[in-house]
Amino acid sequence: MITDDAMLALLSRSRGYPVCVLRPGPAADREDRDRLLWEHGRLNCDLRERGLLAITLRIPESPELAGVGVYGCEPERVRELLAADGAIAAGVLSYELYDAQGIPGDALP
């Protein structure tokens, strides 16, 4: 069992992470949607390789959500990166950005 001291030590290492929640945008049914989403995926892969996007999760079965991304950079930088995303610029995707807290080093199992 985790003691209070161990929990406090772990929590003391927490830091802020911008979390992006993607939703279908107002132009989600555009003809070139698949191409734009492919390039969105390529951008995510590039950001992952560069250490800027720590975790990306697709949510394929939801009509209301498209995905979630956890970034390892400042919120302003995330906004710049999202502004360069063609799927967002074209309205295929929209997003909301949240400040979240996490423990550095957490990972998917």
Side-chain angles (χ1 to χ4, degrees):
M1 184 165 150
I2 297 289
T3 66
D4 287 350
D5 288 341
M7 189 168 142
L8 288 170
L10 184 63
L11 293 174
S12 74
R13 296 182 26 232
S14 72
R15 60 164 272 215
Y17 292 92
V19 173
C20 174
V21 176
L22 290 171
R23 299 182 185 281
D29 294 328
R30 283 175 59 130
E31 252 183 60
D32 57 348
R33 171 185 187 271
D34 290 343
R35 180 187 61 78
L36 289 163
L37 290 175
W38 183 259
E39 293 306 319
H40 165 80
R42 185 186 317 274
L43 176 61
N44 282 349
C45 289
D46 179 62
L47 296 175
R48 183 178 175 273
E49 287 295 311
R50 293 169 38 202
L52 299 172
L53 181 57
I55 295 176
T56 182
L57 301 169
R58 288 181 52 232
I59 306 174
E61 300 300 321
S62 172
E64 298 172 11
L65 297 172
V68 175
V70 179
Y71 288 81
C73 53
E74 295 300 316
E76 282 306 311
R77 179 68 175 129
V78 175
R79 286 185 190 87
E80 292 172 8
L81 296 168
L82 295 173
D85 186 319
I88 291 172
V92 172
L93 295 172
S94 63
Y95 75 91
E96 298 162 356
L97 200 58
Y98 297 93
D99 293 324
Q101 291 287 312
I103 309 296
D106 280 357
L108 297 172

